[in-house]
Amino acid sequence: MDLHLTLDRAAGRLAGQLAEGLRDAVRDGRLTPGVRLPPTRDLAADLGVSRGVVVTAYEQLVAEGFIVSRQGDGTRVATCPAAGPAAGPRGEAHRRALRLAAGTDAGPADPPGIAYDLRPGKPDLASFPRDRWAANLREVLRELPHTALNYPDPAGVPELRAELAGHLARVRAAAPEPGGIVVTAGVAQMLATVPRILIEEGHRVLAVEDPLGHHQIPMLGATGIELAGVPVDEEGIDVAALARTPARAVLVTPAHQYPTGVVLSPRRRSALIEWARDVDALIIEDDYDGEFRYDRDPVGCLRGLAPDRVLLAGSVSKALSPALRLGWAVAPPWLAVRLRAARALHDLGSSVLDQHVLARMIGSGEYARHLRVMRRRYRARRDAFVAALRERLPQVRVHGVSAGLHAYAELPGTCDETAVVAQAAALGVAVEGVAPMRVGRPGPPAIVVGYARLSERRLAEAVDLLAAAVRAV
Amino acid sequence: MDLHLTLDRAAGRLAGQLAEGLRDAVRDGRLTPGVRLPPTRDLAADLGVSRGVVVTAYEQLVAEGFIVSRQGDGTRVATCPAAGPAAGPRGEAHRRALRLAAGTDAGPADPPGIAYDLRPGKPDLASFPRDRWAANLREVLRELPHTALNYPDPAGVPELRAELAGHLARVRAAAPEPGGIVVTAGVAQMLATVPRILIEEGHRVLAVEDPLGHHQIPMLGATGIELAGVPVDEEGIDVAALARTPARAVLVTPAHQYPTGVVLSPRRRSALIEWARDVDALIIEDDYDGEFRYDRDPVGCLRGLAPDRVLLAGSVSKALSPALRLGWAVAPPWLAVRLRAARALHDLGSSVLDQHVLARMIGSGEYARHLRVMRRRYRARRDAFVAALRERLPQVRVHGVSAGLHAYAELPGTCDETAVVAQAAALGVAVEGVAPMRVGRPGPPAIVVGYARLSERRLAEAVDLLAAAVRAV
């Protein structure tokens, strides 16, 4: 296959040039839908560029929906790439945009034909405390001085930052320092911002757990940083492998690794912090599911152990609702200042009314009470779900159910994961395969199953259908 | 003055390198507070780089608070640059961050010692419809399906986009197309996003009106685009001068130029659109103050005349409150798709509850009614303010009061604008000088005065003090 790709080295931005060349090839029909692209290593050798250039270009095109990458199946041109007529002034050059957004959603609300939505990453939306939110907003609007309705502090309103400091110290031992808390529009915004700051600081590579949340891959890739996948085993991220990468920054989910559900072991925690001190590195701790713990001892956050090395990021997306787009970062002072500046230069901060409502709910104890209620509810669902899996799918190994809102279900080694996901969908059950969550390294087939949003009865029905899907495959 | 600046051309990012070199010089004491930096043209010649590189580096350092740029006074090292001990793991290299945010705020709420805050750009915060906002939120939370509490469409909830389409067609003849509306976190987010998209499309330069809102200068500069200032005369932006720049995109405020208050003349409107068609350009129309018009004929937006060429951006910041961080862009389809993708890759969208409340208020007519009430209130304030100015400061020429929330007051040619601003502040009246709003070109001294937030009586008192300040200078 000769793709006729030419790169202008003097012009820089090689990955961007390569992506553009591949887009052109798709548009011209030199690359047809379904055709397999060369492995990154081979294409890099052909073009005389580093493999990272090709990986970055491929990631960008995956984000845009031009190509599809599947474990065991290589990278292929998408079957409906950049469809639709160009409507803009720049015609051809913009067709690619027409599919860009579709590939980067956090997930549609309700896929058609799906009766049991077990996709992970979303809480029980029916439990959102609607009355309390409305009542607190009424109080906020009764009490707030007019000046609070001006442009906000881009780092967040002081009331919320103070309440978050108390809350995160109490429940997560997060060592929040005054001035170290920045309100964010959610963990996503933090993921889109911190790599850009790292690049300004001379970083080129960010290490990530492999596998990781597949929505995070295009989001991190769009910042221009190169991702180095580091394997995760039963103790969590492999710190020795991390040390062999050129990365001096790492994104981890120690409380409940996403998607495997592993808790970072005490030994690994120490090793990770030691690595950070040795090589002057930053640890980005996504406190994913940190609030929901069922039958294991509490595990503090990494940040509490090394506040000078760790940025802790969290949000209300699992505790309340992802529709609020509200979160926080607890950062070393230098980074908190940079995060605030990034918001000052980007969006001037989060909705002030939502911030004040959350501050009131934390301050009054309502937020902690809501978490306790949800923990009990989720635990009951987890118990029902795991019992049903053990009974109906004994051949599946279930991991990571001592905390969080999802289970990592390892399929028998011979089982085709993609076929199971497709078969389950055909039966009305939405789950996710782990393959799109891998950065590079292959691994055993598995599905990721969120149990948070269905009642115990409906979970048992869904597991029946899942078992039928596995049998059919 | 030998600054010992060395640039590594092979490493790229020359403006970033230059900014870093200058920061180091400030930290090392080679550049001391108050010292004047070389003009951009001279430093560019010394270093053998384009002038744009130096301009970009200076803009970045202004945004960070390291240097201060004043018309007629050149560019000087700030008197308290990057103060405070370094607290982060990278020590010295991060000190600069400690002042970064302070320089880029949209403005503090209440400066100490100021009894009369006449700074422009903010509405009357006391008029925010608190009860109606709370009541609408209660209704929203009563009616919203659970699925609406999931991750939102990053382009905005459909209900709000539909209501905005109707509203902008009715009041602004904005030619909104289905799919062309993207909800933003305010005009600021649009300003931070569109230049990045333009750069991806091969643009290097963005033309801006000179003068323009001075908070916009660092925000646009941080995107990496080069700014080309284009003069504004009594008909608005000088399109012939625009055509002489290399820019193929321009940011304009046709409804009420900020800060001069000029309305773009019909002749210039045609010329601007003709330019855009001739050179395949994009017009970014910041619909600043478009809603508040007092005693002039309605002027439609540019977008209505050339929907394929114009992005119209607006927000609720003047109509309701800047604390909501909620706005919109009406864009040609190719650009709407890119803006949606940018949100999908950056923050996943705006707070859903705020979006639904605004949609209800537009749909019920409350939003339009609120605008009518505010228009009457602001008109009365404008009348009182202009009458007081004519009586107490006849030597000042007042411009741009037929619309908007501020007046542009041209001082007598011999008057030192900076001294007037300082003297007014000493007397308890905050106003802004126009010099920090200029991109390059000098111009007559003027102050920019917002009259929206004070009662008629207090406006008269403030004008008394302003007159005393002018006399003292």
Side-chain angles (χ1 to χ4, degrees):
Chain A
M1 169 164 51
D2 184 356
L3 293 172
H4 300 285
L5 296 166
T6 52
L7 301 179
D8 175 5
R9 273 166 181 71
R13 293 173 39 94
L14 289 174
Q17 288 187 48
L18 176 56
E20 186 59 38
L22 289 167
R23 278 186 213 104
D24 286 340
V26 172
R27 284 191 215 107
D28 300 349
R30 278 175 284 149
L31 281 174
T32 47
V35 78
R36 198 191 299 248
L37 290 173
T40 53
R41 202 178 299 274
D42 299 2
L43 185 55
D46 286 353
L47 296 170
V49 299
S50 81
R51 194 179 166 203
V53 167
V54 181
V55 170
T56 303
Y58 278 19
E59 279 165 357
Q60 178 62 30
L61 294 171
V62 168
E64 296 175 9
F66 262 80
I67 65 177
V68 175
S69 185
R70 256 200 208 95
Q71 190 218 340
D73 189 32
T75 301
R76 292 176 182 276
V77 176
T79 44
C80 50
R90 288 180 187 72
E92 194 66 59
H94 287 279
R95 284 212 193 151
R96 67 172 186 272
L98 294 175
R99 278 193 64 81
L100 179 49
T104 52
D105 273 7
D110 275 318
I114 292 298
Y116 304 90
D117 186 357
L118 296 184
R119 288 172 305 159
K122 292 162 206 78
D124 181 17
L125 302 169
S127 300
F128 182 78
R130 294 174 178 235
D131 289 347
R132 293 309 306 148
W133 191 272
N136 276 294
L137 178 78
R138 205 170 47 235
E139 290 304 308
V140 163
L141 280 172
R142 204 167 278 165
E143 294 172 9
L144 212 57
H146 294 320
T147 50
L149 294 171
N150 206 338
Y151 285 95
D153 185 327
V157 303
E159 292 85 346
L160 178 57
R161 293 161 80 193
E163 293 294 353
L164 282 170
H167 174 75
L168 294 169
R170 286 191 297 275
V171 305
R172 304 293 298 135
E177 294 164 59
I181 295 187
V182 177
V183 173
T184 68
V187 171
Q189 189 180 48
M190 184 281 296
L191 293 176
T193 305
V194 173
R196 290 185 166 93
I197 295 171
L198 291 173
I199 289 169
E200 284 168 22
E201 292 302 313
H203 291 244
R204 205 176 44 81
V205 182
L206 173 67
V208 294
E209 297 167 327
D210 188 1
L212 80 161
H214 69 286
H215 299 306
Q216 300 190 343
I217 299 173
M219 191 167 269
L220 294 167
T223 66
I225 209 151
E226 197 181 308
L227 300 183
V230 177
V232 172
D233 61 22
E234 64 284 351
E235 290 194 64
I237 190 168
D238 178 345
V239 179
L242 168 63
R244 288 191 297 272
T245 72
R248 295 300 168 261
V250 64
L251 170 64
V252 288
T253 47
H256 191 231
Q257 203 272 332
Y258 189 88
T260 64
V262 172
V263 181
L264 192 65
S265 73
R267 201 167 56 164
R268 289 279 173 83
R269 285 173 176 256
S270 308
L272 186 59
I273 288 167
E274 202 178 318
W275 166 82
R277 294 205 200 282
D278 281 356
V279 303
D280 188 19
L282 177 73
I283 300 170
I284 305 166
E285 177 176 26
D286 179 357
D287 200 21
Y288 187 84
D289 289 347
E291 294 107 341
F292 296 115
R293 177 180 50 77
Y294 309 119
D295 31 25
R296 70 177 199 211
D297 289 336
V299 185
C301 61
L302 281 178
R303 184 174 153 86
L305 305 176
D308 58 326
R309 290 285 155 204
V310 182
L311 174 141
L312 175 82
S315 78
V316 301
S317 293
K318 306 287 175 296
L320 289 171
S321 158
L324 295 171
R325 309 308 315 130
L326 198 53
W328 52 83
V330 191
W334 72 269
L335 187 51
V337 171
R338 296 293 291 270
L339 285 169
R340 178 180 188 275
R343 293 213 78 178
L345 290 170
H346 195 88
D347 60 13
L348 304 182
S350 286
S351 165
V352 161
L353 299 182
D354 289 350
Q355 289 190 64
H356 279 287
V357 172
L358 179 60
R360 275 186 78 97
M361 290 184 71
I362 296 174
S364 66
E366 282 177 84
Y367 185 73
R369 271 198 300 282
H370 178 71
L371 283 175
R372 282 197 298 276
V373 168
M374 294 313 296
R375 202 175 292 135
R376 280 198 298 276
R377 190 167 301 168
Y378 290 144
R379 184 185 179 135
R381 290 178 184 180
R382 193 251 350 221
D383 290 346
F385 179 67
V386 171
L389 276 180
R390 296 237 159 96
E391 190 194 323
R392 312 300 310 259
L393 275 168
Q395 68 273 46
V396 159
R397 290 180 52 199
V398 181
H399 301 271
V401 290
S402 65
L405 307 179
H406 76 270
Y408 180 78
E410 207 177 313
L411 300 171
T414 54
C415 200
D416 179 343
E417 166 191 317
T418 311
V420 169
V421 172
Q423 186 63 35
L427 297 175
V429 181
V431 299
E432 288 184 3
V434 73
M437 304 178 188
R438 298 192 193 277
V439 183
R441 219 160 263 103
I447 54 174
V448 187
V449 193
Y451 51 76
R453 282 173 298 159
L454 298 189
S455 67
E456 285 87 334
R457 184 181 57 77
R458 286 176 55 74
L459 281 167
E461 292 165 8
V463 171
D464 276 353
L465 293 167
L466 255 187
V470 172
R471 271 197 310 276
V473 173
Chain B
M1 167 163 53
D2 184 356
L3 293 171
H4 301 286
L5 296 166
T6 52
L7 301 179
D8 175 5
R9 271 167 184 69
R13 293 174 36 93
L14 289 175
Q17 288 187 50
L18 176 57
E20 185 60 37
L22 289 168
R23 279 187 212 102
D24 286 338
V26 172
R27 285 190 215 105
D28 300 349
R30 277 175 286 149
L31 281 174
T32 48
V35 79
R36 196 192 301 247
L37 290 173
T40 53
R41 201 179 298 274
D42 299 2
L43 185 53
D46 286 352
L47 296 170
V49 298
S50 81
R51 194 179 165 201
V53 167
V54 181
V55 170
T56 303
Y58 278 19
E59 280 165 356
Q60 178 62 31
L61 294 171
V62 168
E64 296 174 9
F66 261 81
I67 66 178
V68 176
S69 184
R70 260 201 204 95
Q71 190 218 338
D73 189 31
T75 302
R76 291 174 182 278
V77 176
T79 45
C80 51
R90 287 179 186 72
E92 194 67 61
H94 287 280
R95 284 211 191 152
R96 67 174 186 270
L98 293 175
R99 277 193 66 80
L100 178 49
T104 52
D105 273 7
D110 277 317
I114 293 297
Y116 303 91
D117 187 355
L118 296 184
R119 289 172 305 160
K122 293 163 206 78
D124 181 18
L125 303 169
S127 300
F128 182 77
R130 293 174 180 235
D131 289 348
R132 294 309 307 149
W133 191 272
N136 277 293
L137 178 78
R138 202 171 49 236
E139 289 305 305
V140 163
L141 280 171
R142 205 168 276 164
E143 293 172 10
L144 213 58
H146 295 321
T147 49
L149 294 171
N150 206 337
Y151 286 95
D153 185 327
V157 304
E159 292 85 344
L160 178 57
R161 293 161 80 192
E163 293 294 354
L164 282 171
H167 174 75
L168 294 169
R170 283 190 298 275
V171 305
R172 304 294 297 136
E177 293 163 60
I181 294 187
V182 177
V183 173
T184 68
V187 171
Q189 189 180 47
M190 184 281 297
L191 293 176
T193 306
V194 173
R196 290 184 166 92
I197 295 171
L198 291 173
I199 289 170
E200 284 167 25
E201 292 303 313
H203 291 245
R204 203 178 44 81
V205 181
L206 173 68
V208 295
E209 296 168 327
D210 188 2
L212 80 161
H214 69 286
H215 300 306
Q216 300 190 343
I217 300 174
M219 192 165 269
L220 294 167
T223 66
I225 209 151
E226 197 182 305
L227 300 184
V230 177
V232 172
D233 60 24
E234 65 284 351
E235 290 195 60
I237 189 167
D238 178 345
V239 179
L242 168 62
R244 288 192 296 271
T245 73
R248 294 300 169 258
V250 63
L251 170 63
V252 287
T253 48
H256 192 230
Q257 203 272 334
Y258 190 88
T260 65
V262 172
V263 182
L264 193 64
S265 72
R267 200 168 56 165
R268 288 281 173 81
R269 283 173 178 256
S270 308
L272 186 59
I273 287 167
E274 202 178 321
W275 167 82
R277 296 208 199 279
D278 281 354
V279 303
D280 188 20
L282 178 72
I283 300 170
I284 306 166
E285 178 176 24
D286 179 356
D287 199 21
Y288 186 83
D289 289 347
E291 295 107 342
F292 296 116
R293 177 179 50 75
Y294 310 119
D295 33 24
R296 70 176 198 213
D297 290 334
V299 184
C301 60
L302 282 178
R303 186 176 151 82
L305 304 177
D308 57 325
R309 290 285 155 201
V310 182
L311 174 142
L312 174 82
S315 79
V316 301
S317 293
K318 306 288 176 298
L320 290 170
S321 157
L324 295 171
R325 310 307 316 129
L326 198 54
W328 53 83
V330 190
W334 71 268
L335 186 53
V337 171
R338 299 291 292 271
L339 284 169
R340 178 181 190 273
R343 293 214 78 177
L345 290 170
H346 195 90
D347 60 13
L348 305 182
S350 287
S351 165
V352 161
L353 299 182
D354 289 349
Q355 288 189 67
H356 279 288
V357 172
L358 179 60
R360 274 187 79 96
M361 290 185 71
I362 295 174
S364 67
E366 283 176 83
Y367 185 73
R369 271 196 300 280
H370 178 71
L371 283 176
R372 281 197 298 274
V373 168
M374 294 313 294
R375 203 175 292 135
R376 280 197 298 274
R377 191 168 300 169
Y378 289 144
R379 183 185 180 138
R381 289 178 184 179
R382 189 224 32 188
D383 290 345
F385 180 66
V386 171
L389 276 181
R390 297 235 159 99
E391 188 195 324
R392 312 301 309 261
L393 276 168
Q395 66 274 46
V396 159
R397 288 181 52 197
V398 182
H399 301 268
V401 289
S402 64
L405 306 180
H406 76 271
Y408 180 77
E410 206 177 313
L411 300 172
T414 54
C415 201
D416 180 342
E417 165 192 317
T418 312
V420 169
V421 172
Q423 185 63 34
L427 297 175
V429 181
V431 299
E432 287 183 3
V434 74
M437 305 177 188
R438 298 193 192 276
V439 184
R441 218 160 264 102
I447 55 174
V448 187
V449 193
Y451 52 75
R453 281 174 298 157
L454 298 188
S455 67
E456 284 86 335
R457 185 181 57 78
R458 286 175 57 70
L459 282 168
E461 293 165 7
V463 171
D464 277 353
L465 293 167
L466 255 186
V470 172
R471 272 196 309 275
V473 172

